[in-house]
Amino acid sequence: MGRSPNGKYGFHKTTHLAYVDNDNSWSDSWERWYAKALKRMLEEEERSHGPDDDLKLLTAAMFQKVVPRLLRPLETGGRQIEPCLIHSDLWPGNVKPDAVTDEPIIFDSCAFWGHNEADLGSWRAPRYRLGRPYMDQYHKNIPVSPPAEDWDDRNALYALRYDLLHSALFPKEPKFRKAAMDEMRRLVDKYPDGYEGFASSK
């Protein structure tokens, strides 16, 4: 939606995902911007649950291997994405019908200029009862960004930010941290060679 006023990723002011403030400082690179946002959520999750040695190892591998592997191809090899204004907290609780017109109203955004697919990260969670049918309908209007074969794991990477937030919100529920770590481990195991493995295969 729309065009970034300076062609960059970010926002002109701080926004919040639940109670977590987001560093929306501008970046020319989507990979760098998203890495910063993911790091912020990992910091908040650790503040809530405390440090964990396995999580530290997974975090390092995510930033060294997974984030570059899944996001750098969006802006290399002749590919590019345009920053668009996204809500970034789309879930059923933030969408209600207007009492008079019955038209849907979307509110409580954590807006920034980013990759449009990042808006679908929260839809992956089973707790919101969204998922593939909604994403398929979305992609009838807005095609998957190339490389299309990375779509599902990119979506998992975007969903991780919300999974970590969910864990941070419930410090007495270790199952949410475990779920986030399980997904991180899956991605780390799948992409041991990082972006270099992708680039060398092309």
Side-chain angles (χ1 to χ4, degrees), residues 85-90 115-123 162:
L85 186 61
I86 66 175
H87 183 285
S88 103
D89 195 14
L90 283 175
H115 182 208
N116 65 285
E117 290 179 4
D119 238 356
L120 308 184
S122 60
W123 296 13
Y162 301 96

Side-chain angles (χ1 to χ4, degrees), residues 3-11 25-30 33 82-84 112-114:
R3 287 183 176 271
S4 170
N6 55 17
K8 298 183 179 183
Y9 303 98
F11 204 59
S25 54
W26 298 103
S27 176
D28 293 317
S29 161
W30 172 240
W33 193 95
E82 291 288 334
C84 68
F112 61 84
W113 297 91

Side-chain angles (χ1 to χ4, degrees), residues 21 26 42 56 63 92 108 141 156 176 185 191 193:
D21 58 295
W26 298 103
L42 281 157
K56 285 186 184 300
F63 288 116
D108 195 22
N141 295 284
F176 297 127
R185 188 173 291 108
Y191 298 110
D193 299 323

Side-chain angles (χ1 to χ4, degrees), residues 39-110:
K39 181 181 178 184
R40 175 70 185 94
M41 205 57 72
L42 281 157
E43 291 170 348
E44 194 60 33
E45 201 278 345
E46 182 178 69
R47 189 194 67 77
S48 179
H49 283 268
D52 180 275
D53 289 342
D54 288 341
L55 182 56
K56 285 186 184 300
L57 291 172
L58 287 170
T59 296
M62 287 291 295
F63 288 116
Q64 292 167 9
K65 302 293 184 181
V66 177
V67 172
R69 168 59 187 85
L70 291 175
L71 300 188
R72 195 170 301 169
L74 291 167
E75 299 180 286
T76 56
R79 294 173 291 269
Q80 62 180 11
I81 54 175
E82 291 288 334
C84 68
L85 186 61
I86 66 175
H87 183 285
S88 103
D89 195 14
L90 283 175
W91 65 287
N94 286 344
V95 182
K96 299 294 178 186
D98 183 280
V100 176
T101 66
D102 207 37
E103 291 292 317
I105 298 175
I106 301 173
F107 50 89
D108 195 22
S109 76
C110 175

Side-chain angles (χ1 to χ4, degrees), residues 5-17:
N6 55 17
K8 298 183 179 183
Y9 303 98
F11 204 59
H12 63 281
K13 61 175 61 180
T14 299
T15 54
H16 292 77
L17 193 57

